[in-house]
């Protein structure tokens, strides 16, 4: 705060200079109109990752096949880009299973290098987690089997190779894993029609349309792209044919934080956080998501209208000028919605979605504290594959307190568990953060206390990870390992 105040004159000077340039020629509003009209003609239909139909094994398990491979993707019309994907050239199919299903995923690595596939947000044993200890060498196949044991949620999968995660995700390796409940809520549920996967990533292309990772001057969060792709589509638009549409938004970017809102500032309902539905919908005008986080929102549309999902000025809490140099003043059009002239009416959102029992803090066996450093260490130590940082007793409940003692924006993700946020800087979390989460934002100077139950085994050979999900930080070593054992 004090740092911000002392620099306020610098900011005023900058604003003054910017507005002088801005007033030359046509007005900002005119310029924006022209740009938008031009852009809207060249938009591409949003691609929807295919929903994968599993085979059914003899004992009823659902069998999925994923093959990681390289390929070419047409982000631009003139030239393709070399990318990586699962079963395709960029991203991967959406996997879907119902609570208590047994799933079996066979992952083949056709890449020229080793990879892993981590099920982000999944409650499963450490040996199936797909972290840096479950490496799949080039040319080999890894079998992951587990039973779905958690509430309906939008999870995702991505590589988790020691020191190579950011590069592999950037090339295109990521996909969604949707979990359903046998008994569903009356929510929009038609995949790709009124229940849309929205995988948001920032990318940078050079003149030859090659993907490049670049860090600008003063960048400490990690490489930022200057273009947005949604489900691998540049400049996307989506047609709307229902009055209510559910968006399952995943921030699958390496380092970019988004503050999503619509260009007309309409309200929308947040119905789910990372690991499940909220108790009831929370009405907001904007929603900030950091890398790895998901949210499900429901948006109401009127016949014939067009509206733009945008991201502007995410609050990184880094102060001037670092805030700006790390994406804090960036603005993007993310996805245009074009509503048909006739919309199919959808029943209104239920006011109660699920019951969420608060985990009682007095059940916690221990409170641990984690201090995030500038960009490569937690509690003063960098990631070491041979060191176990935390040993948790199987079946126990713990409180973890995460403090960001640095000037850099971080978040914090824990494998295996979904947690509840107890406090953010001493206050209860806001409505949309009061449900189940697995990744939480921890801006500079803040402390987040969370509580979780640890109920799957992770041994010394197959421990779980906790880390910052800003991928450059994670790869630099801002990660630790924990076992869960009786
Ligand atoms: Cu999204 Cu350790 O992962
Ligand atoms: Cu994870
Ligand atoms: Cu970080």
């Amino acid at each position: 705060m004090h740092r911000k105040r002392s620099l306020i004159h610098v900011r005023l000077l900058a604003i003054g200079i910017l507005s002088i340039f801005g007033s030359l020629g046509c007005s900002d509003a005119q310029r924006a109109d022209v740009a938008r009209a031009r852009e809207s003609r060249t938009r591409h239909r949003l691609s929807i990752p295919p929903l994968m139909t599993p085979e059914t094994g003899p004992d009823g398990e659902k069998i999925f096949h994923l093959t990681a491979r390289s390929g070419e993707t047409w982000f631009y019309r003139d030239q393709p880009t070399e990318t990586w994907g699962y079963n395709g050239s960029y991203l991967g199919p959406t996997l879907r299973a119902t609570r208590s299903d047994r799933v079996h995923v066979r992952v083949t690595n056709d890449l020229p290098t080793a990879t892993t596939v981590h099920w982000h947000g999944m409650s499963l044993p450490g040996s199936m987690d797909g972290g840096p200890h479950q490496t799949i060498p080039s040319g080999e196949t890894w079998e992951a089997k587990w039973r779905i044991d958690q509430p309906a949620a939008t999870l995702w999968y991505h590589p988790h190779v020691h020191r190579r995660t950011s590069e592999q995700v950037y090339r295109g390796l990521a996909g969604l894993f949707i979990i359903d409940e046998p008994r569903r809520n009356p929510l929009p549920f038609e995949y790709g029609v009124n229940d849309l996967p929205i995988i948001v990533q920032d990318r940078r292309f050079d003149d030859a349309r090659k993907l490049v990772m670049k860090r600008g001057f003063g960048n400490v969060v990690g490489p930022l792209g200057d273009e947005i792709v949604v489900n691998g589509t540049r400049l996307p638009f989506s047609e709307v044919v229902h009055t209510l549409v559910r968006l399952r938004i995943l921030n699958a970017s390496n380092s970019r934080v988004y503050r999503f809102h619509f260009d007309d500032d309409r309200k929308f309902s947040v119905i789910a956080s990372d690991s499940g539905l909220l108790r009831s919908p929370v009405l907001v005008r904007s929603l900030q998501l950091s890398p790895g986080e998901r949210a499900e929102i429901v948006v109401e549309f009127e016949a014939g209208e067009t509206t733009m999902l945008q991201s502007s000025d995410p609050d990184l809490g880094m102060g001037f000028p670092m805030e700006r140099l790390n994406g804090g003043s960036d603005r993007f059009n993310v996805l245009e919605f074009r509503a048909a002239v006739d919309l199919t009416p959808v029943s209104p959102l239920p006011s109660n979605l699920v019951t969420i029992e608060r985990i009682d803090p007095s059940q916690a066996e221990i409170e641990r504290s984690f201090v995030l450093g500038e960009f490569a260490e937690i509690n003063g130590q960098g990631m070491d594959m041979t060191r176990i940082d935390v040993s948790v007793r199987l079946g126990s409940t713990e409180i973890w307190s995460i403090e960001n003692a640095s000037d850099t924006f971080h978040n914090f993700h824990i494998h295996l568990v979904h947690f509840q946020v107890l406090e953010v800087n001493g206050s209860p979390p806001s409505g949309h953060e009061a449900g189940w989460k697995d990744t939480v934002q921890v801006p500079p100077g803040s402390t987040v206390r969370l509580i979780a139950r640890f109920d799957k085994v992770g041994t010394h050979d197959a421990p779980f990870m906790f880390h910052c999900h800003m991928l450059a930080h994670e790869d630099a070593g801002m990660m630790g390992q924990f076992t869960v054992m009786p």
Side-chain angles (χ1 to χ4, degrees):
M1 246 356 188
H2 44 278
R3 186 179 39 195
K4 268 189 176 159
R5 212 175 306 128
S6 72
L7 282 158
I8 225 157
H9 59 283
V10 181
R11 185 183 297 171
L12 288 176
L13 183 66
I15 290 170
I17 293 170
L18 286 174
S19 52
I20 290 168
F21 283 114
S23 63
L24 300 173
C26 59
S27 75
D28 280 357
Q30 284 170 325
R31 215 192 320 264
D33 282 351
V34 172
R36 173 149 175 205
R38 188 184 308 130
E39 207 187 89
S40 129
R41 278 196 303 273
T42 53
R43 287 197 160 260
H44 310 254
R45 186 177 301 273
L46 176 73
S47 82
I48 300 291
L51 198 55
M52 191 172 203
T53 316
E55 284 166 31
T56 307
D59 44 0
E61 61 176 11
K62 290 188 172 164
I63 308 171
F64 299 94
H65 296 253
L66 291 178
T67 302
R69 57 176 178 80
S70 64
E72 286 186 334
T73 304
W74 292 82
F75 293 101
Y76 290 83
R77 289 187 172 136
D78 56 356
Q79 221 174 314
T81 302
E82 203 203 290
T83 51
W84 289 2
Y86 299 104
N87 303 3
S89 70
Y90 193 81
L91 299 176
T94 297
L95 310 190
R96 190 158 204 165
T98 304
R99 189 172 197 166
S100 85
D101 275 352
R102 270 168 309 116
V103 299
H104 175 175
V105 194
R106 187 168 288 153
V107 186
T108 301
N109 178 8
D110 274 356
L111 299 169
T113 180
T115 190
T116 81
V117 177
H118 167 57
W119 320 103
H120 180 128
M122 200 70 77
S123 171
L124 40 49
S127 57
M128 299 298 154
D129 193 41
H133 294 269
Q134 287 88 45
T135 308
I136 318 168
S138 179
E140 291 190 16
T141 294
W142 176 63
E143 317 268 348
K145 293 183 185 191
W146 72 96
R147 188 184 198 98
I148 304 285
D149 181 27
Q150 65 195 99
T154 304
L155 312 184
W156 65 302
Y157 59 93
H158 63 77
H160 213 303
V161 203
H162 189 50
R163 298 195 176 280
R164 292 268 176 277
T165 297
S166 93
E167 171 197 325
Q168 296 199 358
V169 172
Y170 196 74
R171 286 172 183 264
L173 293 176
L176 286 183
F177 199 128
I178 296 175
I179 295 180
D180 302 316
E181 296 270 0
R183 250 194 57 227
R184 288 199 321 261
N185 270 291
L187 292 168
F189 197 67
E190 232 182 296
Y191 183 82
V193 180
N194 63 8
D195 182 354
L196 304 179
I198 306 286
I199 305 174
V200 183
Q201 299 175 306
D202 60 330
R203 291 293 182 266
R204 191 181 291 271
F205 300 89
D206 69 9
D207 292 340
R209 310 308 193 200
K210 259 186 66 174
L211 277 173
V212 286
M213 269 203 229
K214 198 179 140 211
R215 279 171 105 122
F217 169 76
N219 177 305
V220 290
V221 291
L224 296 172
D226 55 356
E227 293 207 57
I228 301 299
V229 295
V230 181
N231 302 344
T233 311
R234 268 181 73 244
L235 297 172
F237 75 89
S238 177
E239 257 147 26
V240 169
V241 292
H242 291 81
T243 51
L244 286 185
V245 176
R246 173 193 201 160
L247 308 179
R248 298 178 187 255
I249 306 177
L250 158 66
N251 181 349
S253 307
N254 283 37
S255 344
R256 186 175 287 286
V257 179
Y258 300 92
R259 198 179 59 85
F260 293 107
H261 62 93
F262 288 89
D263 60 352
D264 53 10
D265 217 28
R266 72 180 56 198
K267 291 185 180 165
F268 54 90
S269 302
V270 185
I271 59 163
S273 51
D274 304 327
S275 317
L277 290 167
L278 300 174
R279 203 173 276 156
S280 46
V282 176
L283 212 55
V284 297
R285 288 184 201 277
S286 73
L287 179 67
Q288 180 160 314
L289 292 181
S290 67
E293 286 187 291
R294 290 87 65 212
E296 295 177 29
I297 67 171
V298 173
V299 191
E300 206 178 323
F301 290 97
E302 274 171 29
E305 71 171 347
T306 295
T307 181
M308 182 72 79
L309 177 67
Q310 300 179 313
S311 170
S312 324
D313 309 316
D315 187 3
L316 308 177
M318 291 174 73
F320 183 88
M322 291 306 278
E323 181 87 8
R324 254 197 94 141
L325 298 171
N326 289 278
S329 322
D330 290 355
R331 303 184 162 201
F332 292 102
N333 285 338
V334 175
L335 172 58
E336 185 179 80
F337 290 93
R338 302 176 182 172
V341 278
D342 281 314
L343 296 182
T344 309
V346 177
S347 55
L349 280 182
S351 51
N352 292 306
L353 299 170
V354 287
T355 49
I356 298 179
E357 253 176 72
R358 297 304 297 176
I359 307 178
D360 179 0
S362 72
Q363 289 176 2
E365 269 182 24
I366 189 173
E367 172 154 357
R368 301 183 195 269
S369 107
F370 299 83
V371 180
L372 309 180
E374 214 58 60
F375 39 74
E377 67 293 315
I378 298 174
N379 289 342
Q381 286 187 303
M383 165 76 169
D384 180 345
M385 294 265 292
T386 65
R387 186 189 70 233
I388 298 298
D389 298 275
V390 172
S391 310
V392 176
R393 198 182 58 80
L394 180 65
S396 68
T397 297
E398 297 200 354
I399 294 174
W400 286 22
S401 159
I402 324 298
E403 180 194 346
N404 183 349
S406 80
D407 293 323
T408 306
F409 180 93
H410 297 300
N411 64 13
F412 196 78
H413 167 53
I414 312 178
H415 287 209
L416 166 66
V417 297
H418 33 271
F419 53 72
Q420 291 176 356
V421 176
L422 291 172
E423 283 175 357
V424 179
N425 297 326
S427 310
S430 51
H432 66 270
E433 293 210 301
W436 295 110
K437 287 188 62 62
D438 58 50
T439 306
V440 67
Q441 301 176 29
V442 194
S446 63
T447 300
V448 178
R449 284 177 78 233
L450 41 93
I451 188 164
R453 227 172 263 137
F454 295 76
D455 60 2
K456 302 278 182 313
V457 170
T459 62
H460 283 82
D461 297 332
F464 297 104
M465 308 292 132
F466 57 86
H467 57 92
C468 175
H469 217 288
M470 310 291 277
L471 299 184
H473 297 170
E474 170 179 344
D475 279 348
M478 198 170 221
M479 173 151 57
Q481 315 192 93
F482 66 100
T483 55
V484 181
M485 291 199 286

